[in-house]
Amino acid sequence: MPRKVRQLIADLEKAGFEIRGGKGSHRNFVHSKGVRVTISGHPGDDAKHYQERDVKRALEAAKD
């Protein structure tokens, strides 16, 4: 079962990402290390496989 968009957002915020706005259902997140990622969709929507991949990569990049 795919995770929800709200779970991806929670993971990003827990890792120190800050929301920097967006347009419509898009949200731009940025980390103090310069890592950026955009998540689209409403919080209750199922996350797409590429969104989960992008969040995973952003979290790994911010950890280094």
Side-chain angles (χ1 to χ4, degrees):
M1 180 174 212
R3 299 171 66 203
K4 298 291 184 183
V5 170
R6 76 172 65 90
Q7 294 170 313
L8 299 181
I9 293 171
D11 289 346
L12 289 169
E13 289 175 342
K14 189 188 318 181
F17 282 81
E18 295 181 4
I19 192 163
R20 289 294 179 200
K23 189 171 185 178
S25 63
H26 288 70
R27 290 164 210 81
N28 299 309
F29 291 89
V30 65
H31 193 272
S32 60
K33 292 186 178 181
V35 181
R36 302 175 70 169
V37 64
T38 299
I39 301 295
S40 63
H42 298 286
D45 292 346
D46 290 340
K48 308 285 189 226
H49 69 279
Y50 60 85
Q51 291 174 315
E52 293 193 41
R53 179 195 65 212
D54 290 347
V55 167
K56 182 179 176 184
R57 287 180 181 169
L59 293 173
E60 289 174 359
K63 198 182 299 183
D64 295 338

